[in-house]
PDB file of all heavy atoms in Angstrom:
ATOM      1  N   SER A 261       1.379  21.876 -30.218  1.00  0.00           N
ATOM      2  CA  SER A 261       1.012  22.998 -29.357  1.00  0.00           C
ATOM      3  C   SER A 261       0.820  24.271 -30.169  1.00  0.00           C
ATOM      4  O   SER A 261      -0.106  25.056 -29.913  1.00  0.00           O
ATOM      5  CB  SER A 261       2.074  23.221 -28.274  1.00  0.00           C
ATOM      6  OG  SER A 261       2.136  22.120 -27.393  1.00  0.00           O
ATOM      7  N   LEU A 262       1.677  24.488 -31.157  1.00  0.00           N
ATOM      8  CA  LEU A 262       1.514  25.657 -32.024  1.00  0.00           C
ATOM      9  C   LEU A 262       0.230  25.558 -32.835  1.00  0.00           C
ATOM     10  O   LEU A 262      -0.481  26.557 -33.028  1.00  0.00           O
ATOM     11  CB  LEU A 262       2.724  25.799 -32.951  1.00  0.00           C
ATOM     12  CG  LEU A 262       4.033  26.213 -32.276  1.00  0.00           C
ATOM     13  CD1 LEU A 262       5.171  26.238 -33.295  1.00  0.00           C
ATOM     14  CD2 LEU A 262       3.901  27.579 -31.604  1.00  0.00           C
ATOM     15  N   LEU A 263      -0.082  24.350 -33.323  1.00  0.00           N
ATOM     16  CA  LEU A 263      -1.344  24.142 -34.034  1.00  0.00           C
ATOM     17  C   LEU A 263      -2.530  24.443 -33.126  1.00  0.00           C
ATOM     18  O   LEU A 263      -3.466  25.168 -33.513  1.00  0.00           O
ATOM     19  CB  LEU A 263      -1.419  22.697 -34.534  1.00  0.00           C
ATOM     20  CG  LEU A 263      -2.789  22.201 -35.007  1.00  0.00           C
ATOM     21  CD1 LEU A 263      -3.259  22.982 -36.226  1.00  0.00           C
ATOM     22  CD2 LEU A 263      -2.762  20.712 -35.302  1.00  0.00           C
ATOM     23  N   SER A 264      -2.503  23.897 -31.923  1.00  0.00           N
ATOM     24  CA  SER A 264      -3.592  24.115 -30.981  1.00  0.00           C
ATOM     25  C   SER A 264      -3.703  25.586 -30.582  1.00  0.00           C
ATOM     26  O   SER A 264      -4.806  26.134 -30.486  1.00  0.00           O
ATOM     27  CB  SER A 264      -3.373  23.251 -29.735  1.00  0.00           C
ATOM     28  OG  SER A 264      -4.487  23.276 -28.879  1.00  0.00           O
ATOM     29  N   GLY A 265      -2.554  26.228 -30.381  1.00  0.00           N
ATOM     30  CA  GLY A 265      -2.558  27.643 -30.028  1.00  0.00           C
ATOM     31  C   GLY A 265      -3.093  28.518 -31.148  1.00  0.00           C
ATOM     32  O   GLY A 265      -3.871  29.448 -30.924  1.00  0.00           O
ATOM     33  N   PHE A 266      -2.679  28.220 -32.385  1.00  0.00           N
ATOM     34  CA  PHE A 266      -3.172  28.972 -33.532  1.00  0.00           C
ATOM     35  C   PHE A 266      -4.687  28.825 -33.649  1.00  0.00           C
ATOM     36  O   PHE A 266      -5.408  29.801 -33.886  1.00  0.00           O
ATOM     37  CB  PHE A 266      -2.501  28.462 -34.809  1.00  0.00           C
ATOM     38  CG  PHE A 266      -3.076  29.031 -36.080  1.00  0.00           C
ATOM     39  CD1 PHE A 266      -2.715  30.297 -36.507  1.00  0.00           C
ATOM     40  CD2 PHE A 266      -3.979  28.300 -36.838  1.00  0.00           C
ATOM     41  CE1 PHE A 266      -3.247  30.829 -37.677  1.00  0.00           C
ATOM     42  CE2 PHE A 266      -4.518  28.817 -38.004  1.00  0.00           C
ATOM     43  CZ  PHE A 266      -4.146  30.092 -38.425  1.00  0.00           C
ATOM     44  N   SER A 267      -5.189  27.610 -33.454  1.00  0.00           N
ATOM     45  CA  SER A 267      -6.616  27.355 -33.569  1.00  0.00           C
ATOM     46  C   SER A 267      -7.407  28.104 -32.500  1.00  0.00           C
ATOM     47  O   SER A 267      -8.448  28.697 -32.786  1.00  0.00           O
ATOM     48  CB  SER A 267      -6.876  25.843 -33.461  1.00  0.00           C
ATOM     49  OG  SER A 267      -8.231  25.551 -33.620  1.00  0.00           O
ATOM     50  N   ASP A 268      -6.920  28.100 -31.270  1.00  0.00           N
ATOM     51  CA  ASP A 268      -7.607  28.821 -30.199  1.00  0.00           C
ATOM     52  C   ASP A 268      -7.534  30.322 -30.424  1.00  0.00           C
ATOM     53  O   ASP A 268      -8.492  31.051 -30.147  1.00  0.00           O
ATOM     54  CB  ASP A 268      -6.980  28.458 -28.847  1.00  0.00           C
ATOM     55  CG  ASP A 268      -7.872  28.846 -27.680  1.00  0.00           C
ATOM     56  OD1 ASP A 268      -9.081  28.574 -27.740  1.00  0.00           O
ATOM     57  OD2 ASP A 268      -7.358  29.414 -26.695  1.00  0.00           O
ATOM     58  N   GLY A 269      -6.386  30.776 -30.939  1.00  0.00           N
ATOM     59  CA  GLY A 269      -6.251  32.200 -31.234  1.00  0.00           C
ATOM     60  C   GLY A 269      -7.272  32.680 -32.248  1.00  0.00           C
ATOM     61  O   GLY A 269      -7.700  33.845 -32.206  1.00  0.00           O
ATOM     62  N   LEU A 270      -7.674  31.792 -33.162  1.00  0.00           N
ATOM     63  CA  LEU A 270      -8.681  32.167 -34.154  1.00  0.00           C
ATOM     64  C   LEU A 270      -9.990  32.585 -33.499  1.00  0.00           C
ATOM     65  O   LEU A 270     -10.644  33.544 -33.931  1.00  0.00           O
ATOM     66  CB  LEU A 270      -8.954  30.993 -35.103  1.00  0.00           C
ATOM     67  CG  LEU A 270      -7.927  30.704 -36.181  1.00  0.00           C
ATOM     68  CD1 LEU A 270      -8.368  29.492 -36.986  1.00  0.00           C
ATOM     69  CD2 LEU A 270      -7.757  31.906 -37.097  1.00  0.00           C
ATOM     70  N   ILE A 271     -10.390  31.845 -32.459  1.00  0.00           N
ATOM     71  CA  ILE A 271     -11.657  32.148 -31.796  1.00  0.00           C
ATOM     72  C   ILE A 271     -11.599  33.531 -31.144  1.00  0.00           C
ATOM     73  O   ILE A 271     -12.529  34.337 -31.259  1.00  0.00           O
ATOM     74  CB  ILE A 271     -12.000  31.071 -30.754  1.00  0.00           C
ATOM     75  CG1 ILE A 271     -12.063  29.691 -31.422  1.00  0.00           C
ATOM     76  CG2 ILE A 271     -13.309  31.391 -30.055  1.00  0.00           C
ATOM     77  CD1 ILE A 271     -13.051  29.582 -32.564  1.00  0.00           C
ATOM     78  N   PHE A 272     -10.486  33.829 -30.486  1.00  0.00           N
ATOM     79  CA  PHE A 272     -10.349  35.146 -29.865  1.00  0.00           C
ATOM     80  C   PHE A 272     -10.150  36.227 -30.918  1.00  0.00           C
ATOM     81  O   PHE A 272     -10.523  37.381 -30.720  1.00  0.00           O
ATOM     82  CB  PHE A 272      -9.196  35.125 -28.858  1.00  0.00           C
ATOM     83  CG  PHE A 272      -9.550  34.420 -27.578  1.00  0.00           C
ATOM     84  CD1 PHE A 272      -9.361  33.052 -27.437  1.00  0.00           C
ATOM     85  CD2 PHE A 272     -10.098  35.122 -26.512  1.00  0.00           C
ATOM     86  CE1 PHE A 272      -9.705  32.391 -26.273  1.00  0.00           C
ATOM     87  CE2 PHE A 272     -10.448  34.470 -25.332  1.00  0.00           C
ATOM     88  CZ  PHE A 272     -10.253  33.101 -25.211  1.00  0.00           C
TER      89      PHE A 272
END
Side-chain angles (χ1 to χ4, degrees):
S261 295
L262 290 177
L263 166 64
S264 188
F266 172 80
S267 182
D268 196 46
L270 284 179
I271 302 303
F272 284 89

